[in-house]
Amino acid sequence: KLQKVTMPSTLTKIGSSAFESCVGLTKVEIPENVTSIGSCAFEYCSGLKEISLPDGLLTIGSYAFEGCTALTVVVLPD
């Protein structure tokens, strides 16, 4: 029933399956220092509606957002 996550500004990587199936999660703001989002990191977060990706993001693993059926807003880096 995880609904909100505050990630520290020192975070550099979101690991594989880190938030998999967190259906209550609706919005995610990824810190600027994150360079990698692992495979299946947000897979089946069916309540996820909005995500902001940082400028320094280099890689997004396969199926990172698979099954995020409510995702309607994706803020991409410049």
Side-chain angles (χ1 to χ4, degrees):
K1 304 269 177 176
L2 183 65
Q3 295 177 338
K4 182 179 179 182
V5 175
T6 302
M7 298 180 202
S9 61
T10 55
L11 186 68
T12 59
K13 178 182 177 183
I14 297 174
S16 297
S17 303
F19 298 99
E20 182 179 354
S21 298
C22 290
V23 296
L25 195 60
T26 59
K27 182 178 179 182
V28 174
E29 291 184 26
I30 298 176
E32 285 300 317
N33 288 331
V34 172
T35 58
S36 174
I37 297 174
S39 300
C40 308
F42 296 95
E43 185 178 35
Y44 300 118
C45 292
S46 57
L48 185 60
K49 296 177 184 177
E50 183 176 342
I51 190 159
S52 297
L53 302 175
D55 289 335
L57 186 63
L58 300 173
T59 61
I60 299 175
S62 58
Y63 307 106
F65 300 100
E66 173 81 15
C68 295
T69 54
L71 191 59
T72 56
V73 177
V74 177
V75 180
L76 300 173
D78 294 332

